[in-house]
Amino acid sequence: MRELNKAMEWLNQYHSKEPRLGLSRVRALASLVGNPELKVPVIHIAGTNGKGSTVTYLSNMLQMAGLKVGVFSSPYIVQYEEQFLINNQPISSDKLTAYVKKYQQVFAENADHENIKGLTEFELITVLAYDYFASEAVDVVIMEVGLGGKEDSTNICQSVLTGITTIGLDHVDILGHSLAAVAEQKAGIIKSEVPLVTGRIEPEALAVIERIASMNHTRPVEFQKDYYAEYLDTDTEGTKFDCTTQQGQTVQYHIPLIGKHQVDNAAMAIQLFEVYAEMANLSYDSEIIQKGLDQVKWPARMEVISKQPLVILDGAHNPHAMERLIENMTTIYQDYHINLLFTCIRTKDIQTMIQDFDRIHPATMTVTTFSHENTFTVEELESYATKSMCVESDWQSYLAEYFGRNHQANEVLLVTGSLYYLSQVRPYIEKLNKN
């Protein structure tokens, strides 16, 4: 454990408070370790929301088809190692430590290398991920874009298949203040003559993606045009939907995640799977697809973390995700007495998010702060709070007190906001459940 802590300390010194986009530094580092990003087939997934669950659905289907699948995604919810998965298993602490030591040596031997100066932690772990997956000889890697796409460090690969899930306004100071501008950045992952699948995307943004795809001599396989999904029903066990892929067959599927938006993500993953299966000559049927969907667990996305009392975690951290959350709460939980615990980081539009929560008519709403370099102070939260809201400086005490009370059968606590916050809340609630 001490060795891992030392490794984490070394990595953390490269942590950047603000993103530094651009590919020159990450390409320089990759070249120093033999360009591992070129040694594995890569499926590259971008999008404002929906990336994580789409990647998880796709990974499980590919595993059910017999493949060894690497997945790189961020941020982590439970442990740092879960950013590097092979067949759903995180890299071991010992292996992660060994890889960090390797990169410490690379940095020591190339201290005067101008192109790796200013390298960020995310750029470093991107190369580490490619290196790990190549060394472990995985059959395919699914890389989730960190921010944007065009200048995101994951984009040093030569992908064999790309996907863009959704386009919404997030990180506008970096990616642009219009859907078209954001789409331009996301579409930067499109490669010449490489197949592309798109999710539910607004016409303004889709037009940009289609233009860039055309320039790259590829045509997107588009949602509700080339493949289709129809939401059927949701209960506490998950969601049912019909899916018709480009191949033309309509099949009813079930996913263990809650929410209408999960239908879009699952359908896109099914279409990505079928495109890749055709490319890689994989044999499959709808049963393999359903088995893959059945295996999916996705922390902090409409996740029922406790049943008594009923507690839901959802990482809605931008306007696009907020719309999906509000839709789910006003349909699935419309007859429930909703208590709300919320916080976010400074890069988000907290005022608009607070106003949006009025649409789910929470019985109580509490905003809080948490341990993070970009968190709001209690004083700042008080300036945003409305008369009907409470400001809580200690979210642990709030949850401990909530779990100690009796609750009605139709009462639910929704804990939402920053994924960084939920990564702290989740283990705490699991501890309360055990007690």
Side-chain angles (χ1 to χ4, degrees):
M1 183 60 74
R2 192 156 78 185
E3 290 296 306
L4 177 63
N5 289 340
K6 282 183 183 175
M8 289 297 99
E9 283 176 16
W10 184 80
L11 273 178
N12 286 340
Q13 70 180 316
Y14 293 97
H15 178 72
S16 172
K17 195 171 179 182
E18 299 298 331
R20 289 186 212 142
L21 297 181
L23 301 181
S24 59
R25 294 179 300 274
V26 70
R27 278 182 176 144
L29 179 61
S31 70
L32 291 174
V33 292
N35 293 109
E37 76 281 6
L38 305 179
K39 297 176 181 176
V40 284
V42 176
I43 301 173
H44 203 188
I45 307 295
T48 303
N49 293 301
K51 297 188 297 293
S53 50
T54 300
V55 165
T56 305
Y57 290 128
L58 177 58
S59 171
N60 279 282
M61 286 184 273
L62 291 168
Q63 289 173 56
M64 287 299 146
L67 299 188
K68 185 178 182 181
V69 184
V71 170
F72 176 67
S73 63
S74 62
Y76 65 93
I77 299 295
V78 181
Q79 60 181 132
Y80 197 90
E81 292 89 333
E82 74 193 40
Q83 295 172 107
F84 320 87
L85 302 177
I86 294 179
N87 284 5
N88 297 340
Q89 294 303 306
I91 188 173
S92 70
S93 298
D94 288 345
K95 274 191 179 173
L96 179 58
T97 301
Y99 273 97
V100 171
K101 285 182 177 178
K102 171 183 174 176
Y103 282 83
Q104 284 179 297
Q105 187 66 30
V106 170
F107 274 62
E109 291 170 358
N110 295 275
D112 297 327
H113 199 305
E114 285 297 323
N115 287 342
I116 64 170
K117 287 182 178 175
L119 199 91
T120 68
E121 178 188 4
F122 186 74
E123 291 169 334
L124 204 162
I125 66 171
T126 299
V127 178
L128 190 157
Y130 280 124
D131 198 359
Y132 172 54
F133 297 139
S135 298
E136 296 292 322
V138 299
D139 295 310
V140 62
V141 173
I142 310 173
M143 295 294 287
E144 180 190 321
V145 167
L147 178 63
K150 185 177 182 180
E151 296 187 303
D152 183 76
S153 60
T154 60
N155 202 26
I156 58 173
C157 64
Q158 289 298 321
S159 53
V160 297
L161 175 61
T162 55
I164 302 173
T165 56
T166 59
I167 301 292
L169 296 178
D170 195 17
H171 302 287
V172 291
D173 291 340
I174 299 166
L175 302 180
H177 292 265
S178 68
L179 292 179
V182 174
E184 187 94 25
Q185 290 295 319
K186 306 286 185 190
I189 70 166
I190 297 171
K191 303 291 189 294
S192 180
E193 299 182 1
V194 170
L196 166 68
V197 177
T198 56
R200 186 186 291 275
I201 294 174
E202 297 292 328
E204 176 190 348
L206 189 58
V208 174
I209 293 168
E210 289 172 337
R211 171 176 58 79
I212 294 172
S214 178
M215 289 165 55
N216 283 279
H217 312 291
T218 191
R219 190 189 80 77
V221 179
E222 297 178 8
F223 182 66
Q224 305 298 49
K225 178 179 176 183
D226 301 299
Y227 72 101
Y228 304 85
E230 183 183 358
Y231 167 84
L232 298 176
D233 185 39
T234 295
D235 58 27
T236 55
E237 300 304 314
T239 307
K240 291 177 185 172
F241 67 102
D242 281 340
C243 181
T244 308
T245 59
Q246 193 179 33
Q247 286 74 358
Q249 185 182 14
T250 300
V251 179
Q252 184 180 125
Y253 292 107
H254 174 270
I255 47 177
L257 301 187
I258 295 170
K260 287 185 176 181
H261 66 292
Q262 289 297 346
V263 170
D264 297 354
N265 300 336
M268 180 175 170
I270 292 167
Q271 184 59 64
L272 282 161
F273 171 75
E274 292 199 356
V275 171
Y276 187 79
E278 191 173 318
M279 292 165 54
N281 294 315
L282 299 178
S283 60
Y284 70 93
D285 56 21
S286 60
E287 188 177 344
I288 281 178
I289 291 173
Q290 183 59 67
K291 282 181 179 176
L293 298 175
D294 286 340
Q295 300 302 312
V296 170
K297 294 181 178 69
W298 194 231
R301 272 73 170 190
M302 288 300 294
E303 178 189 14
V304 178
I305 186 75
S306 169
K307 290 188 176 178
Q308 290 183 333
L310 181 58
V311 181
I312 294 169
L313 301 186
D314 190 84
H317 57 282
N318 56 48
H320 192 272
M322 283 288 293
E323 285 299 318
R324 302 290 78 78
L325 174 60
I326 290 164
E327 177 185 56
N328 289 328
M329 295 306 294
T330 54
T331 53
I332 303 165
Y333 295 97
Q334 61 182 331
D335 297 324
Y336 279 70
H337 177 105
I338 300 170
N339 301 298
L340 183 64
L341 179 63
F342 165 75
T343 192
C344 65
I345 57 176
R346 292 175 183 277
T347 56
K348 306 300 177 180
D349 184 356
I350 186 172
Q351 199 154 17
T352 299
M353 294 174 86
I354 287 172
Q355 289 168 356
D356 284 343
F357 282 126
D358 283 341
R359 291 156 57 193
I360 65 172
H361 307 295
T364 66
M365 180 168 175
T366 303
V367 290
T368 190
T369 187
F370 70 110
S371 176
H372 190 274
E373 62 193 3
N374 274 337
T375 192
F376 288 97
T377 65
V378 170
E379 291 73 26
E380 287 169 328
L381 291 173
E382 285 173 344
S383 71
Y384 289 113
T386 63
K387 288 181 181 177
S388 60
M389 286 166 48
C390 297
V391 177
E392 174 60 68
S393 62
D394 185 351
W395 59 265
Q396 292 99 329
S397 294
Y398 173 93
L399 287 173
E401 192 272 333
Y402 188 90
F403 270 71
R405 295 200 318 256
N406 292 323
H407 297 277
Q408 299 169 1
N410 69 335
E411 193 171 357
V412 59
L413 172 63
L414 170 64
V415 186
T416 186
S418 168
L419 286 169
Y420 298 110
Y421 172 53
L422 296 188
S423 72
Q424 297 174 27
V425 169
R426 195 171 185 277
Y428 186 76
I429 290 180
E430 287 180 331
K431 192 166 114 183
L432 290 174
N433 276 332
K434 285 177 184 173
N435 294 338

